[in-house]
Amino acid sequence: MADTLITIEDFSYQYALTDTPALKHLNLEIKAGEYVAVMGACAAGKTSLCLTMNGIIPNMMAGGHTGKVTVAGHDTATTPVRELARTVGMVFDNPEFQLSQVSAREEIALGLENTGVPRDEMLRRIKEVLAIVGLTGYEDRSPLAMSGGQQQRLAIAAALAMYPQVLVLDEPTSNLDPIGKEEVFAVAARLNRERGMTIVIVEHEVEVMAAYADRLVVMANGEIVLNDTPRAVLAQVDKLAEYRTRPPQVTEMAYALTQAGRPAPAEWPVTLEQALSVYPPVEAH
Ligand SMILES: Nc1ncnc2c1ncn2[C@@H]1O[C@H](COP(=O)(O)OP(=O)(O)OP(=O)(O)O)[C@@H](O)[C@H]1O
Ligand SMILES: [Mg+2]
């Protein structure tokens, strides 16, 4: 059994001066090496969930919580956020807001300086993480002169330089064009598959998540309402509609065919590959 990296136990959180909790009685475990996708409508609590994983909630926000979050054995409520940052790397939706330095090198060095990594080790890590995200040779490049996809890969590199065990990505592709999106998805998939990096990603691109994620968590109104394999979650077309989350197109198609009188598939397809095995192409004679 893989180690559990993050455990959320009956955790609720209410931001100061609000009337209702943003997170309600959450229970969730993230295991080492997992790729977990989080989906759900606007204001469902996805970002708040991410912020519980690096201790920003409850440590750096005004508000009240009940329950407990444990990250690599540390209770987040009693562990400094800078300590948790060694375990959990975070990347947000807008790369421009995360990047503040004049060059890629300095962007990555920033977090390392704050944790007292020696200069030689810093230079070694900068080279290493730029290679991981496919930005070798970009040391001196200004983030402002990069495409959105490159900027977001640089933000990922900066997070990776701290050697975290988990990378939490909150809608990392929502401000990117299709090529930038693909670049970020490819980096996350490679980190997970080749390096065993644990990935938690809030993402609306359901077709992509159906293919990459080991597990899919759907949130609605501050609760975790579905938590299973993508295939088990995305087959629940009616429930997804209730939670305002769209299933993959192939799942919708299978569902429509079934409603039109075709026999229901034994297992609902959520990727194109699965759809082709449920509805095999007609052989040419
Ligand atoms: N800093 C804050 N102060 C007060 N309320 C907040 C704060 N951040 C979020 N909220 C509220 O908490 C609830 C959950 O918000 P959250 O940002 O976690 O949702 P989300 O699923 O990430 O939404 P989105 O899809 O818009 O990113 C919302 O009702 C939101 O208004
Ligand atoms: Mg959000």
Side-chain angles (χ1 to χ4, degrees):
M1 272 279 273
D3 295 342
T4 300
L5 275 181
I6 301 178
T7 309
I8 301 178
E9 292 166 277
D10 197 22
F11 190 85
S12 299
Y13 187 77
Q14 186 159 345
Y15 289 99
L17 307 176
T18 61
D19 297 330
T20 50
L23 300 174
K24 298 174 196 163
H25 301 286
L26 302 192
N27 287 288
L28 185 66
E29 273 191 9
I30 309 285
K31 290 196 184 339
E34 272 195 302
Y35 188 126
V36 179
V38 179
M39 311 193 82
C42 244
K46 304 176 300 293
T47 296
S48 303
L49 172 65
C50 292
L51 298 178
T52 67
M53 295 185 186
N54 69 352
I56 289 185
I57 287 179
N59 294 308
M60 293 175 80
M61 292 278 189
H65 78 281
T66 57
K68 185 175 172 182
V69 178
T70 313
V71 171
H74 303 287
D75 182 340
T76 58
T78 55
T79 310
V81 169
R82 66 169 191 285
E83 184 68 33
L84 295 167
R86 292 172 189 271
T87 306
V88 183
M90 197 76 107
V91 174
F92 295 99
D93 59 347
N94 197 330
E96 284 168 53
F97 293 159
Q98 304 176 72
L99 304 173
S100 58
Q101 304 298 300
V102 296
S103 70
R105 178 187 292 109
E106 288 178 45
E107 204 59 66
I108 298 168
L110 187 66
L112 295 174
E113 269 165 6
N114 291 341
T115 51
V117 173
R119 187 185 150 79
D120 283 355
E121 169 68 7
M122 223 191 272
L123 293 174
R124 199 190 60 71
R125 285 200 200 182
I126 289 168
K127 213 169 165 203
E128 181 189 6
V129 295
L130 283 175
I132 291 173
V133 301
L135 289 176
T136 294
Y138 282 68
E139 279 84 349
D140 295 317
R141 185 77 64 96
S142 161
L144 296 175
M146 293 183 173
S147 70
Q150 289 172 336
Q151 288 178 340
Q152 200 57 309
R153 284 186 286 146
L154 176 58
I156 292 173
L160 289 177
M162 310 284 283
Y163 287 173
Q165 289 174 268
V166 190
L167 198 56
V168 178
L169 305 137
D170 186 6
E171 302 202 35
T173 73
S174 62
N175 290 301
L176 304 183
D177 60 23
I179 292 171
K181 280 186 204 287
E182 191 41 52
E183 289 173 1
V184 168
F185 288 137
V187 166
R190 245 186 321 114
L191 281 168
N192 178 254
R193 287 180 187 164
E194 292 172 17
R195 294 170 178 263
M197 172 71 75
T198 311
I199 304 279
V200 177
I201 180 170
V202 178
E203 181 54 61
H204 294 292
E205 295 279 341
V206 68
E207 272 79 15
V208 181
M209 291 303 106
Y212 285 136
D214 299 314
R215 198 142 59 87
L216 218 154
V217 169
V218 178
M219 297 192 73
N221 300 316
E223 292 178 55
I224 291 176
V225 287
L226 295 170
N227 174 13
D228 208 330
T229 60
R231 200 156 188 178
V233 166
L234 296 174
Q236 303 182 54
V237 174
D238 290 336
K239 272 200 183 153
L240 290 177
E242 183 188 326
Y243 304 138
R244 284 176 292 148
T245 299
R246 182 179 71 74
Q249 288 180 350
V250 291
T251 318
E252 280 182 331
M253 185 204 70
Y255 196 73
L257 286 173
T258 305
Q259 291 206 314
R262 285 259 204 138
E267 254 197 301
W268 293 90
V270 301
T271 64
L272 185 57
E273 208 177 31
Q274 291 163 3
L276 288 171
S277 85
V278 173
Y279 305 106
V282 178
E283 295 287 333
H285 291 287

